[in-house]
């Protein structure tokens, strides 16, 4: 699958493509800063992505020519999203839910297109409610599903409903699985909803017009179809990456087993440790890539000067 | 319409209702801090709400017993949302799009329910793309529409599609209109979409498979149905407030006329001034309320001591 990023003939005729929600101008100048990007890692919250960027910098130091000890700098000039660059990695938050994700995914894909980046993989790391799994398990998504338990993302374009398939890259998932290093993992389908409360069958929202039995019937149905966790961005993340022809993976840790309850009961330390798990797996994968690149460089024969 | 906030029989049996995304425990203790709330003002971005809270404090000082000059403190302990309280006003950001709004709206309604607040009005202030209006116009929404141009909010609950009507409070809109004080305003329907790019017929997203003519046909159709601006939260905001039986209004300033283009061309100073306009109208309305409350207090006859 060749990297493409965008599919929009109108972009070429734009004088200056302002990436509005990160406050970055989409000129060809972007290649200097972003031309070498190979990995885009997205997650919900700004703090979590800042911490991740810091962790990445510390972990990737041996492989990159990084001399300073400063914290990575947020390159977004708006307060909507943060965007950090650490070597070949972009770490970006996407907020909560599909619309917030779509805005930043459109702009990230355009950024990489303008920068002329190549061979880029996308990862969403996040938190989720699990189904039949111990809290703290990282679910690697096989296929994302919408709230109707269908494997596609529905979008309304010019007043018409359009459906985009939401499967993910099998090879990338397998490779990530190899990097789990003791972290409990599972494979499964991920259900994506637009609402955290009624949308996920919780009994503790402002509104609830169903019973505990109705809820359990629905969650058990999802489980029987192979769903192992529930969150709020996967189906769109998978579908947009597929449209952009970029390999993508989704790794979300479960904070609770939804078959047993609705509220999260973790200590702040547990919460912190759990939500770092998907990021640790992705970091291990990136380190493996950088080590292999290093090896390849070293084993390449020295070029002989050409004879005139 | 009596204030109700929540409609969920399960809430009463919860031992401790943790409002997860603002990190506040929903105990009855909340009445001390939040029992006197009369206005909830929501907007997209965290910075904008911080500035608004600061502006509110300065503007409401003459009516409230505020002695210090400190900036209002963010009462949310998560990095997902900010929550400021200035006298009887809550200022809260909702992020981008319906799912992000729903999370915080569920939790705000539960907060007010637990606090035993009464007679609360809800406002969404924000930015939008206009249709046939000069940039800088504040649109007061009559009815919100979904991306299919229908006047209701669609939600998937336990795998079933449910529709909730999305009309707003006429009286509140009229009263706000009286507080515009020279700011250009218009009334009209507001279209709400889940995507900023293809969802709103833009030609400058990562993907675009339609022509300029297709786009204009769609926007002109929306205009002919009475739509005057487009944003990403209105239809859900209106529908959830209606379900909660709280009067609600939506005021969004237009940053451009979408019939003329897609990209925003404003100076930072214009952008700043435009996005403060809806908040200035709401502040003027709240000042009017507080002035009337003051008058009422002063004109109330002094109670005679009861004879034993």
């Amino acid at each position: 699958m060749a990297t493409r990023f965008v599919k929009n003939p109108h972009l070429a005729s734009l004088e200056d493509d302002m990436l509005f929600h990160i406050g970055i101008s989409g000129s060809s100048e972007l290649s200097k800063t972003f031309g070498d990007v190979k990995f885009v890692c997205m997650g919900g919250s700004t703090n979590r992505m800042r911490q991740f960027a810091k962790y990445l910098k510390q972990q990737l130091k041996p492989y990159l020519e990084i001399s300073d000890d400063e914290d990575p700098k947020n390159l977004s000039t708006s307060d909507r999203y943060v965007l950090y660059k650490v070597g070949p990695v972009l770490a970006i938050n996407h907020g909560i839910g599909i619309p917030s994700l779509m805005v930043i995914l459109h702009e990230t894909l355009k950024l990489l297109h303008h920068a002329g980046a190549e061979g880029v993989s996308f990862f969403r790391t996040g938190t989720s409610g699990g189904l039949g799994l111990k809290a703290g398990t990282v679910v690697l998504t096989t296929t994302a599903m919408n709230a109707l338990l269908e494997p596609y993302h529905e979008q309304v374009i010019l007043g018409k409903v359009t459906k985009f398939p939401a499967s993910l890259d099998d090879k990338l998932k397998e490779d990530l699985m190899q990097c789990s290093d003791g972290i409990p993992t599972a494979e499964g389908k991920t259900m994506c909803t637009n609402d955290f409360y009624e949308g996920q069958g919780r009994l503790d929202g402002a509104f609830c017009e169903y019973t505990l039995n109705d809820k359990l019937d629905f969650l058990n149905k999802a489980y029987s179809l192979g769903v192992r966790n529930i969150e709020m961005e996967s189906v769109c993340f998978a579908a947009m990456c597929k449209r952009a022809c970029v390999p993508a993976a989704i790794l979300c840790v479960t904070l609770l087993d939804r078959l047993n309850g609705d509220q999260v009961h973790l200590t702040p330390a547990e919460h912190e440790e759990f939500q770092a798990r998907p990021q640790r797996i992705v970091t291990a994968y990136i380190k493996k890539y950088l080590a292999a690149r290093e090896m390849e460089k070293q084993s390449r024969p020295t070029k002989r000067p050409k004879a005139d």
Side-chain angles (χ1 to χ4, degrees), chain A:
Chain A
M1 181 159 76
T3 301
R4 193 171 59 186
F5 302 126
V6 305
K7 190 180 174 186
N8 180 355
H10 304 283
L11 280 185
S13 60
L14 275 179
E15 228 173 272
D16 174 29
D17 183 19
M18 188 63 194
L19 306 172
F20 186 64
H21 298 84
I22 43 177
I24 294 177
S25 164
S27 68
S28 56
E29 287 292 295
L30 287 179
S31 65
K32 283 184 209 160
T33 316
F34 299 106
D36 66 338
V37 170
K38 298 292 175 203
F39 307 99
V40 174
C41 302
M42 293 182 139
S45 103
T46 51
N47 280 356
R48 207 192 297 160
M49 295 322 284
R50 187 175 58 239
Q51 283 159 8
F52 178 49
K54 227 168 131 172
Y55 172 73
L56 261 180
K57 188 166 174 180
Q58 171 214 325
Q59 290 291 311
L60 303 188
K61 233 174 170 177
Y63 305 95
L64 305 169
E65 283 160 17
I66 298 176
S67 56
D68 66 87
D69 277 317
E70 281 168 31
D71 287 348
K73 202 177 144 240
N74 174 20
L75 303 177
S76 161
T77 65
S78 92
D79 66 330
R80 299 291 199 165
Y81 300 97
V82 296
L83 184 150
Y84 299 95
K85 184 169 185 294
V86 180
V89 189
L90 286 187
I92 305 172
N93 80 303
H94 54 56
I96 293 179
I98 288 176
S100 183
L101 169 71
M102 287 186 91
V103 164
I104 189 65
L105 212 36
H106 271 287
E107 296 185 14
T108 303
L109 290 167
K110 292 202 291 173
L111 178 114
L112 295 171
H113 162 73
H114 292 307
E118 280 176 355
V120 183
S121 302
F122 277 61
F123 306 87
R124 156 158 159 69
T125 58
T127 57
S128 62
L131 288 185
L133 295 172
K134 211 181 150 204
T137 307
V138 175
V139 178
L140 282 104
T141 306
T142 52
T143 300
M145 319 267 270
N146 63 25
L148 298 168
L149 295 167
E150 299 161 333
Y152 50 73
H153 170 51
E154 253 189 36
Q155 228 180 292
V156 181
I157 302 177
L158 301 187
K160 287 187 195 96
V161 177
T162 314
K163 295 175 180 190
F164 298 101
S167 61
L168 288 147
D169 193 281
D170 267 340
K171 169 85 170 67
L172 191 54
K173 175 175 58 60
E174 294 306 327
D175 290 349
L176 285 159
M177 211 55 131
Q178 303 302 318
C179 298
S180 57
D181 192 24
I183 293 172
T185 57
E187 278 191 30
K189 291 177 184 162
T190 298
M191 181 170 81
C192 177
T193 70
N194 286 331
D195 179 31
F196 183 80
Y197 289 97
E198 291 172 290
Q200 302 189 0
R202 278 189 161 80
L203 302 174
D204 61 347
F207 312 113
C208 183
E209 298 175 30
Y210 45 83
T211 66
L212 172 63
N213 276 343
D214 296 336
K215 162 194 158 168
L216 289 176
D217 284 351
F218 179 68
L219 293 183
N220 282 317
K221 183 184 165 192
Y223 184 87
S224 72
L225 292 171
V227 173
R228 290 297 172 270
N229 64 340
I230 310 174
E231 43 75 274
M232 297 177 72
E233 294 86 15
S234 59
V235 81
C236 170
F237 185 82
M240 277 186 78
C241 287
K242 211 174 169 67
R243 273 181 97 187
C245 299
V246 292
I250 299 173
L251 309 87
C252 290
V253 71
T254 61
L255 297 183
L256 74 165
D257 184 351
R258 287 297 316 291
L259 297 175
N260 296 334
D262 294 334
Q263 297 225 334
V264 175
H265 297 290
L266 296 174
T267 65
E270 280 172 330
H271 196 173
E272 193 67 25
E273 202 273 314
F274 282 5
Q275 68 181 13
R277 289 182 176 181
Q279 300 180 336
R280 275 166 51 203
I281 297 176
V282 171
T283 305
Y285 173 84
I286 294 172
K287 280 165 86 170
K288 220 168 165 178
Y289 166 91
L290 292 174
R293 192 168 75 172
E294 200 61 36
M295 285 279 282
E296 202 192 325
K297 258 190 212 165
Q298 284 170 6
S299 67
R300 210 173 291 158
T302 320
K303 273 186 194 162
R304 286 190 201 169
K306 268 187 194 168
D308 276 293

